[in-house]
Amino acid sequence: MSSLKLRRSPRHLALAPVLAGLMAASGLALADAGVAVTAAASVADDARVALAPAAMLPTSETAVGQVSLVIGDAQVLRRDGRSETLRRGAPIVVGDRVQTGSNGHVHVRFIDNGVVSVRPQSVLQVQSYHYDARNPAVNEVRLRLEQGATRSISGAATEVDKSRFRLNTPIAAIGVRGTDFIVRSDDRGVQATVADGAIVVSPLSGECLAGALGPCAGDAVQVLSAGMGHLVAEVRPGEGRTRLVPAANTLLAASPGKADEGAHARAQGEPLTYAVNDRAAADLLTIAKVALSDPDPNRPSDLSAQMVWGRWGTVADPVDRVGVPESLAMQGRHYTGIGDSQLGLYLYRADQTRPGGLFPNDLSATVDFRLTRGSASFERGGLVEGARIDGHTLRIDFARRTFATGLELSSPSGGAAVLRAAGQVNSNGSFAVRDAEQVVAGAIAVDGREAGYLFERSAAGGLFKGRTLWGAEGGY
C-alpha cells in the first residue's frame, strides 16, 4: 500500500527526490538524482554473487531501490552477511537478498521505477542494477529468485533494450519481451506466467548460462505472451526443455495489464503514514454476516458514486472486478493517495480540492456503513485464488475522527480469517493502520457518505488481499 505514492512518469526522475532524502538519512549515496545509477556485483556462471566481508555498508554504496511495503516476517541479508529486519523505506543495494517468512510480503521499487513483489517464503537477490537514462545501451538489471515467488514489473532501465534484463532461478533463465510477469520456483521446478508483454523461458545449460544477460535462444526455449491465454511456461528439474502447460492447476495470478505511462500524470500526494492498529477498539465491533439476498460485491465501481477504484489496464482481472478503467475513474474525481501499484488499482474521490475542512462542520455523528463493492484474493507462494467476503462492518465516528472495521474472509486454501482494524482518520480524510497480521489503508468521501479501503490479512502461511467500497446506512 505504501507503494502507491511514487509517480511513474517521467519514469527516470520520479523516484530520485524520495530516494535522495532517504539515502542521505541512511548514509548511502544516490548518484546524480536518478539520471545515472550504477551498481554491479560480479556474477559467476552459477548466478551467485561473491560477497565481500565488511564491517558495514560503505558510505559510497549506491542504493538502487527502496522497500515500499512490508507485511509480516521479512529480512534483508546484506553483502557483508548481516541480516536486518525489513522496514518500509529501507534502502536496497546490489548484492542484497530479500527473504520473506510464511506470512511475509515485500514490495521494492527501484530507481528506474521498476517494481518487484516478493511473496511469502521467498528469497530474491538483486545481483546487479545499472541505470543510465542517457545511455540505455549500458543498462543492466539482473535478479535471482532462489526460491518462492516474485512478480516483476520492468522499469525504464529495460524499456529501450529488453535484452538488458535477466531473472535467473536455480534451473531456469527468464528474459523479457514485455514488462509484467510472475515466477514461482520450488523443488518441483519453475513456472512463469505473463500479465503484459512476453517472456522467454529456458532451462540453464551450456547454451544458456546464468552469467549471461537477456533471453536465451535455442530449441529448449519457449516464448510466452499475455495474449496466449491461460498458459504457463514450466521448466522441471532434470529436463532440458521448457513446456507450455495449461494454467488451470497452477493458480498463478492472472494480473491486469500495465498502465499506459503517458496517459496521465497521477498526483503523488503526501506519503501515507501508518499508525498502530487499535485492535481493542476493533474487537468491539459486531461483524454483519453477508445475506444470500445481498448482491455480489465483486462488481465494477458505480460511476455515479463519489468513490471509485480505477485500474491501469483496460481488461478486468477475473479475481477483482471492482476496478473500472482509470480514465473513467478520473472523471470529476482526484486521486486520494490510496492504491496498489502491484495490482494497478487506485482510489479516486470526488471534490478532492473543496475549500475549508474536508467534512461538513455539522457532521459529528457516528455512522455505520454497508459494503457496496468488494473483492478479495488469497496468495501463498505462487498460488493466487479468489476469496470471499463473508461478513463486513465499517463504523466511523466523525466527532472523534476515528474508524473501526471488520471483515470475515475465506478461501479454499486460506481457510477462514477475520480482519479487525481501527484508528484515527487524518485531516485529509485518509486512514491507515497496521499490525503484525494486517494492513488497512483508505479514504472517506468529502460529505462523509462513502468510503473505500485496501486491506491485507495474513493467514494460513499466506495473505488475504482486497479492496472495498462502502456507503452510509440511512441518513444523518
Side-chain angles (χ1 to χ4, degrees), residues 134-463:
R134 297 190 183 101
N135 189 8
V138 301
N139 290 345
E140 179 176 317
V141 176
R142 193 189 302 271
L143 307 172
R144 186 174 194 266
L145 179 65
E146 298 182 2
Q147 68 179 51
T150 187
R151 180 177 182 182
S152 173
I153 301 176
S154 300
T158 56
E159 271 189 338
V160 175
D161 185 354
K162 292 179 172 56
S163 70
R164 308 306 298 171
F165 176 94
R166 170 69 75 87
L167 187 148
N168 287 326
T169 75
I171 66 170
I174 298 172
V176 296
R177 294 182 182 173
T179 56
D180 188 348
F181 64 95
I182 296 172
V183 183
R184 180 176 68 192
S185 177
D186 56 27
D187 293 342
R188 296 168 294 177
V190 173
Q191 291 182 323
T193 187
V194 184
D196 183 44
I199 57 176
V200 182
V201 183
S202 173
L204 291 174
S205 67
E207 296 180 351
C208 181
L209 300 176
L213 191 62
C216 294
D219 295 337
V221 166
Q222 289 283 0
V223 177
L224 177 66
S225 70
M228 293 172 66
H230 297 288
L231 292 177
V232 167
E234 180 180 76
V235 177
R236 297 179 181 177
E239 291 191 355
R241 63 190 179 98
T242 304
R243 303 168 179 262
L244 294 182
V245 300
N249 296 321
T250 66
L251 295 177
L252 286 173
S255 305
K258 189 185 175 189
D260 176 2
E261 302 293 356
H264 67 278
R266 185 179 295 114
Q268 282 184 231
E270 293 298 318
L272 197 62
T273 301
Y274 288 85
V276 176
N277 185 24
D278 185 355
R279 182 60 185 266
D283 284 343
L284 298 176
L285 287 176
T286 299
I287 299 178
K289 296 286 188 180
V290 173
L292 292 177
S293 59
D294 290 345
D296 182 5
N298 190 10
R299 63 190 193 277
S301 297
D302 181 359
L303 291 178
S304 67
Q306 298 179 71
M307 310 290 290
V308 173
W309 286 102
R311 65 172 183 269
W312 282 348
T314 58
V315 179
D317 182 348
V319 175
D320 188 334
R321 298 189 292 272
V322 172
V324 300
E326 198 170 21
S327 59
L328 298 178
M330 294 173 64
Q331 295 181 12
R333 304 177 186 86
H334 296 79
Y335 177 46
T336 61
I338 306 298
D340 186 334
S341 65
Q342 297 295 307
L343 295 177
L345 284 166
Y346 296 88
L347 183 60
Y348 283 83
R349 173 172 63 188
D351 299 323
Q352 175 91 357
T353 56
R354 62 175 288 175
L358 182 73
F359 303 121
N361 293 330
D362 59 352
L363 181 54
S364 60
T366 297
V367 180
D368 288 322
F369 288 72
R370 68 186 185 282
L371 184 73
T372 60
R373 299 289 190 279
S375 68
S377 62
F378 178 75
E379 300 183 9
R380 184 173 61 211
L383 177 150
V384 179
E385 64 186 13
R388 291 175 51 87
I389 299 176
D390 300 312
H392 47 78
T393 295
L394 172 63
R395 179 170 296 165
I396 299 175
D397 184 336
F398 287 98
R400 299 176 57 198
R401 295 293 192 264
T402 61
F403 82 97
T405 189
L407 296 174
E408 293 183 351
L409 307 164
S410 65
S411 80
S413 301
V418 177
L419 176 147
R420 289 184 180 271
Q424 291 294 131
V425 177
N426 300 321
S427 60
N428 64 357
S430 68
F431 52 89
V433 299
R434 62 183 173 190
D435 57 28
E437 295 181 335
Q438 54 210 340
V439 171
V440 168
I444 305 169
V446 295
D447 66 358
R449 295 180 180 273
E450 296 180 23
Y453 66 71
L454 293 166
F455 65 86
E456 292 196 2
R457 171 67 162 88
S458 61
L463 282 172

Side-chain angles (χ1 to χ4, degrees), residues 67-89:
V67 174
S68 56
L69 171 70
V70 180
I71 303 292
D73 179 27
Q75 294 83 35
V76 58
L77 181 64
R78 301 292 187 185
R79 294 177 67 175
D80 62 1
R82 291 180 300 116
S83 179
E84 301 174 6
T85 299
L86 273 179
R87 308 291 184 194
R88 176 176 173 259

